């Protein structure tokens, strides 16, 4: 067998476009030194990446960096969905960052460059076919975020959040790398599909303590990226200390990347009989802890952060049925988990866009009471934020959130995990309390509260409108998302 790897540049086109965007931003910032041109270059690159991902996926699955049947890069429908979504999230965050970048405390060139680098990691992550590519892609997605969180000059809260995020993330990355090394020592394989075949055909490998430790470390390290309990403590403090647009990116693109990475190893590499019970427990704890703590939050971003922890539990819930389900039910569970993540990130981006629009330029999320009556002063923006909150709660007319919950419950019932489906339903009821309380607060009389004078930035309002429109569209076409997620 030849050890020469084949290279398909067409399959790599979205990654080329994302990486090229980072280089373009550096050159534009260096040569023109005009913030508007730098942001425009980043936005253009994000659009080109999304279009390139969609174009490449039309021709069917493409594999490259292959040795025999083992490939390190597999670009299909799911990879195209992830790449396009990450690129659109970067575009949305750039729109939300207009007020932040205009206040002069955040260097525009560095901000756009780091976002483009993170986008490159997200694009590669969706197509990763081996553990090395997967871990490098996850870190390429995550590393720029350490800097973005603390990039604003003179922000002590941002610096503290960045240090917290960095320290905990380094530990998680170490766990993942150690788990991958031990898995290679036990099996001799690194490609995800090869690992799956080895562990399925050689059952004695599962009896080795080394394999058990390796699987535990890999799943634990990747669970951190999703902010799953008990690896969640970094999320609320980091989100609240970061600038609002960066918190929006952390809550959407970073979580999406963690879900994709976890899905890749669970679906292709690790035995479902081992990972299923562990993920069922993690999902149950995550959704319950996230919802219960969110009930007590009075700060806007902390509420959204804890609610995103609960949402991570819903995303992981279908994977909890892996040990009980047959092959068809497992395929449905994988698709349900990724589809829920897609629905979630669109609604979460809309929620953050609404908060950015209703807060003064450069301010943090503030307290919930600071937004009391905001929908009365800004009806359209308030309606968009309320729509996102209702969608995250899983209620109509936000059909994306409703179908997301239905998809998860259906996959659990199909996998004979009725107890977990019941827990999802109970937690969804708990979530109604704080989501609807927040939405109702937007329409409550201001009372003695003196609202800050806020004029929503036009570009932020447009981002909110686009995110809301996309959420409405996928709400009416959930099967399309499910088909792409299962591809």
């Amino acid at each position: 067998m030849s050890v020469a790897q084949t290279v398909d540049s067409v399959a790599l086109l979205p990654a080329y476009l994302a990486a090229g965007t980072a280089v373009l931003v550096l050159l534009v910032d260096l040569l023109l030194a005009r913030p508007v041109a730098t942001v425009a270059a980043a936005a253009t690159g994000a659009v080109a990446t999304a279009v390139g991902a969609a174009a490449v996926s039309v021709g069917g699955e493409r594999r490259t960096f292959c040795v025999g049947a083992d490939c390190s890069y597999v670009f299909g429908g799911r990879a195209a969905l992830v790449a396009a979504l990450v690129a659109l999230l970067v575009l949305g965050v750039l729109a939300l960052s207009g007020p932040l970048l205009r206040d002069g405390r955040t260097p525009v060139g560095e901000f756009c460059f780091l976002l483009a680098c993170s986008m490159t990691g997200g694009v590669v992550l969706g197509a990763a076919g081996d553990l090395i590519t997967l871990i490098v892609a996850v870190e390429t997605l995550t590393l720029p975020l350490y800097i973005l969180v603390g990039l604003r000059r003179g922000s002590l809260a941002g610096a503290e959040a960045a240090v917290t995020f960095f320290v905990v993330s380094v530990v998680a990355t170490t766990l993942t790398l150690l788990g991958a090394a031990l898995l290679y020592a036990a099996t001799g394989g690194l490609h995800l599909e090869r690992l799956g075949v080895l562990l399925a055909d050689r059952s004695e490998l599962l009896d080795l303590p080394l394999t058990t430790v390796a699987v535990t470390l890999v799943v634990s390290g990747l669970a951190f990226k999703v902010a799953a309990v008990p690896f969640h403590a970094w999320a609320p403090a980091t989100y609240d200390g970061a600038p609002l647009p960066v918190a929006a990116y952390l809550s959407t693109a970073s979580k999406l990347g963690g879900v994709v990475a976890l899905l890749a190893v669970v679906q292709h590499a690790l035995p479902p009989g081992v990972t299923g019970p562990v993920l069922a427990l993690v999902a149950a704890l995550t959704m319950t802890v996230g919802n219960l703590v969110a009930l007590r939050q009075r700060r806007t971003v902390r509420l959204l952060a804890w609610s995103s922890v609960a949402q991570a539990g819903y995303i992981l819930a279908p994977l909890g049925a892996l040990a009980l389900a047959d092959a068809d039910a497992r395929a449905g569970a994988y698709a349900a988990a990724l589809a829920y993540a897609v629905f979630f990130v669109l609604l979460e981006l809309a929620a953050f866009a609404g908060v950015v629009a209703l807060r003064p330029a450069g301010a943090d999320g503030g307290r919930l009471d600071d937004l009391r009556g905001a929908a009365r002063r800004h009806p359209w923006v308030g309606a968009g934020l309320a729509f996102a909150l209702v969608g995250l709660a899983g209620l109509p007319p936000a059909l994306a959130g409703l179908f997301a919950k239905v998809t998860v419950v259906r996959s659990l019932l199909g996998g004979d995990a009725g107890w977990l489906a019941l827990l999802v339903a109970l937690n969804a009821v708990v979530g109604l309390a704080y989501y609807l309380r927040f939405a109702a607060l937007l329409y409550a009389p201001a009372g003695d509260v003196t609202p800050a004078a806020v004029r929503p930035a036009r570009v932020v309002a447009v981002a909110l409108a686009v995110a809301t429109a996309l959420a409405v569209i996928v709400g009416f076409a959930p099967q399309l998302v499910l088909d792409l997620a299962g591809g």
Side-chain angles (χ1 to χ4, degrees), residues 82 85-86 89 125 252-261 338 341-342 345:
V82 173
L85 189 57
V86 169
L89 289 174
L125 177 58
T252 54
S254 178
K255 190 175 293 290
L256 177 66
V259 171
V260 171
L338 185 55
V342 172
V345 297

Side-chain angles (χ1 to χ4, degrees), residues 214-468:
V215 171
T216 302
L217 290 176
V218 170
V219 172
S220 299
L222 295 179
F224 163 85
K225 306 296 181 183
V226 190
V229 174
F231 312 102
H232 66 290
W234 64 274
T238 302
Y239 289 13
D240 202 24
L244 279 175
V246 177
Y249 190 76
L250 272 169
S251 185
T252 54
S254 178
K255 190 175 293 290
L256 177 66
V259 171
V260 171
L262 198 54
L263 272 175
V265 297
V266 168
Q267 180 175 5
H268 298 296
L270 304 182
V274 175
T275 57
V278 175
L279 291 174
L281 178 61
V282 169
L285 289 173
T286 300
M287 68 179 82
T288 304
V289 171
N291 278 318
L292 292 179
V293 180
L295 286 171
R296 299 177 56 83
Q297 299 307 306
R298 294 295 179 266
R299 289 188 60 80
T300 305
V301 173
R302 281 189 175 267
L303 183 143
L304 291 175
W306 280 107
S307 76
S308 76
V309 171
Q311 298 286 346
Y314 301 141
I315 294 171
L316 296 178
L319 306 183
L322 296 180
L324 304 174
D326 57 23
D328 291 337
R330 284 199 295 269
Y334 301 135
L338 185 55
Y340 192 104
V342 172
F343 293 136
F344 162 72
V345 297
L346 290 175
L347 291 167
E348 185 81 346
L349 182 65
F352 269 98
V355 173
V356 172
L358 294 174
R359 293 288 293 154
D364 60 12
R367 296 178 60 83
L368 290 173
D369 285 338
D370 295 334
L371 297 178
R372 180 182 294 274
R376 293 170 175 257
R377 300 185 295 274
H378 307 287
W380 290 107
V381 174
L385 176 54
F387 177 86
L389 294 170
V390 169
L392 290 170
L395 293 178
L399 296 180
L402 175 62
F403 281 120
K405 296 285 195 302
V406 171
T407 299
V408 166
V409 171
R410 186 178 63 180
S411 69
L412 290 171
L413 294 177
D416 296 327
W419 70 273
L420 195 52
L422 178 61
L423 192 59
V424 168
L426 292 175
N427 271 280
V429 173
V430 175
L432 291 177
Y434 58 84
Y435 282 126
L436 295 185
R437 182 185 66 198
F438 189 178
L441 191 69
L442 298 173
Y443 290 92
D448 297 331
V449 178
T450 303
V454 176
R455 183 179 179 182
R458 182 176 301 175
V459 67
V460 177
V462 170
L464 173 60
V466 171
T468 304

